[in-house]
Amino acid sequence: MSQLLVRGGGLLRGETPVQGAKNSVLPILAATILTADQVELQNCPRLRDVDASVRILRELGCEAHWEGGTLLVDTAGLNGCGISDILMREMRSSAIFLGAILARCGQAELSYPGGCELGPRPIDLHLSGLRDLGAEIDDAGGTLHCRASRLQGREIVLSIPSVGATENLMLAACGAGGVTTIANAAREPEIVDLQAFLTACGGQVFGAGTSTVTVTGGRKLHGCTYTAMPDRIVAATYLCAAASAGGRVFLRGAEEGHLSTVTAVLREAGCEIRPDAQGLVCSCRGQRTAVRPVRTAPYPGFPTDAQAILMAALLRSRGATVFEENMFENRYRHVDELTRMGANIRVFGRTAVVSGVERLYGAPVRCTDLRGGAALCVAALAAEGETCVSETSHIARGYEDLARDLRALGAETSWVD
């Protein structure tokens, strides 16, 4: 397993393009099953989770191969409806294949998904929504046996705005008869991107980005060429890297409209962020200042995926910042590793208080999860000496090449075996 070495203490200066969005590409790859046709997915990042999705598609009898930064998928030859337990355990988003397989095949068999250990993330809303559409689901023994001779559209009200459940139901509804209305739907930009893909394939989906999504099902979908949106959490990571180390960076392709809550906090901390037609420019001079309490919430609130990254950017700020994590129970697993570098963080249940320190020091640390691993690299940029980040397989789930991108921004980073 590779380790990531980061030497801190220098200002960042440079530019890097922002990769395609992981959380957009994964449901789109599941949606290709509905087309029974060829799809050309451009700006698709080469990630561990994307590789897992490709292997799932191939296991189902589909074809997929890379041409540069484009992933070509042909699902016409799909000949299976089950996903092996090994592949399901590799990532949380594997559950998104359920709705698409069920809509196309009328049956599906898969186990419960894996992913980062961030606390309970049940797929009960996925299953109850699919049952509302007419699916029969037996989950005895840890395996989901699903059948639906005919899915029928109806109104579904989600108890919470779950991103995964919203996406799964959108896919299933494309294969259902009549109209499906998803109330209290998630509003994330990735939901909008999925709608745009389905529309490009001939689907009728409306309302993504609002709390009500409407799908008119029963339409034959076809393949298309589609470009995935930029990854807003990757963009947030590199903005926080600049805030941590100081300097001036340009993120080509970043869209501030997707991460306005993050840029608002960074401006409050003392960074200058300016959007232009090509991306975002971020300039950070002097010392950061503490900000008002940061509370994670469903979009358009502050994203839970950016909580650890922002925390790392504020470790040397003046004053104390309070973080309140409202999405996942175990989202502070990175705190112990940051304290090894000299950070002053106190955790009280779902609340963490970050008191700024004068210095951080390079240390051997390990990734606890995807975003926690990125946070360690952000903190290492402001630390004296060298930080060795181990267990980096988590980082590979969401960043195409974190060391490469940070080097493009002027950091001293390298992979070592």
Side-chain angles (χ1 to χ4, degrees):
M1 181 182 297
S2 294
Q3 296 178 328
L4 182 55
L5 298 183
V6 182
R7 179 165 291 279
L11 299 177
L12 298 187
R13 294 195 182 278
E15 70 172 72
T16 188
V18 176
Q19 68 186 49
K22 173 181 86 87
N23 291 334
S24 180
V25 164
L26 298 181
I28 287 175
L29 288 177
T32 62
I33 290 174
L34 300 172
T35 68
D37 201 352
Q38 298 181 49
V39 170
E40 184 176 315
L41 184 54
Q42 299 176 344
N43 197 33
C44 184
R46 292 202 175 206
L47 308 172
R48 195 174 129 201
D49 278 8
V50 171
D51 287 341
S53 293
V54 166
R55 281 183 280 133
I56 287 174
L57 288 169
R58 289 172 177 162
E59 185 175 70
L60 295 171
C62 306
E63 298 179 5
H65 69 276
W66 291 93
E67 289 188 2
T70 298
L71 182 59
L72 303 178
V73 179
D74 189 338
T75 61
L78 182 140
N79 56 19
C81 59
I83 303 175
S84 65
D85 180 67
I86 292 176
L87 289 178
M88 285 298 298
R89 288 180 181 273
E90 285 201 21
M91 64 173 183
R92 181 69 185 179
S93 298
S94 56
I96 200 66
F97 281 88
L98 177 56
I101 296 174
L102 197 58
R104 177 161 173 191
C105 303
Q107 58 181 332
E109 184 172 306
L110 57 161
S111 61
Y112 281 88
C116 289
E117 298 177 6
L118 302 177
R121 293 191 286 176
I123 60 171
D124 296 357
L125 290 180
H126 302 233
L127 303 184
S128 63
L130 292 172
R131 288 187 175 108
D132 287 342
L133 294 177
E136 298 177 1
I137 303 175
D138 179 3
D139 58 356
T143 299
L144 301 172
H145 303 276
C146 311
R147 293 188 178 277
S149 56
R150 186 173 186 273
L151 295 173
Q152 182 59 46
R154 57 164 295 175
E155 180 180 11
I156 300 172
V157 181
L158 298 178
S159 58
I160 59 173
S162 162
V163 174
T166 300
E167 293 168 339
N168 230 335
L169 295 175
M170 287 170 66
L171 300 187
C174 285
V179 177
T180 298
T181 302
I182 306 170
N184 196 28
R187 300 163 57 187
E188 273 74 359
E190 293 80 8
I191 303 288
V192 179
D193 211 29
L194 178 59
Q195 172 181 279
F197 172 77
L198 292 171
T199 301
C201 294
Q204 284 192 342
V205 186
F206 306 95
T210 74
S211 57
T212 303
V213 176
T214 302
V215 182
T216 300
R219 296 173 61 88
K220 181 175 175 56
L221 302 188
H222 53 74
C224 71
T225 297
Y226 190 77
T227 302
M229 63 174 273
D231 195 308
R232 61 193 174 102
I233 304 302
V234 169
T237 301
Y238 300 152
L239 291 174
C240 287
S244 178
R248 183 180 186 277
V249 302
F250 175 62
L251 307 183
R252 188 172 301 280
E255 296 187 21
E256 186 175 18
H258 294 164
L259 62 156
S260 57
T261 52
V262 177
T263 55
V265 173
L266 289 175
R267 288 190 177 104
E268 184 181 349
C271 298
E272 297 179 10
I273 301 174
R274 176 175 55 83
D276 67 17
Q278 302 299 319
L280 286 177
V281 178
C282 179
S283 300
C284 303
R285 301 180 182 87
Q287 187 180 10
R288 278 345 110 235
T289 59
V291 298
R292 287 169 291 184
V294 177
R295 298 180 174 90
T296 63
Y299 190 87
F302 191 90
T304 181
D305 280 352
Q307 172 257 110
I309 301 160
L310 175 65
M311 181 182 292
L314 297 178
L315 295 179
R316 295 195 307 154
S317 61
R318 289 191 299 269
T321 298
V322 176
F323 287 81
E324 184 178 304
E325 175 54 56
N326 298 307
M327 303 300 291
F328 295 119
E329 289 184 3
N330 296 335
R331 205 88 208 224
Y332 290 137
R333 298 175 67 208
H334 55 280
V335 167
D336 287 345
E337 300 304 305
L338 291 176
T339 57
R340 291 170 63 91
M341 302 171 68
N344 182 357
I345 308 171
R346 291 169 294 157
V347 176
F348 310 92
R350 290 184 176 268
T351 301
V353 180
V354 179
S355 300
V357 296
E358 283 195 22
R359 291 183 175 84
L360 295 173
Y361 304 94
V365 293
R366 65 177 185 87
C367 297
T368 55
D369 56 81
L370 167 55
R371 306 306 174 185
L376 297 179
C377 297
V378 168
L381 294 171
E384 298 177 4
E386 188 172 74
T387 296
C388 179
V389 184
S390 62
E391 298 186 30
T392 57
S393 59
H394 291 293
I395 293 176
R397 290 187 47 237
Y399 296 85
E400 196 169 57
D401 191 334
L402 184 59
R404 176 200 65 195
D405 291 349
L406 291 177
R407 279 198 304 272
L409 297 176
E412 291 187 49
T413 59
S414 61
W415 294 106
V416 296
D417 291 331

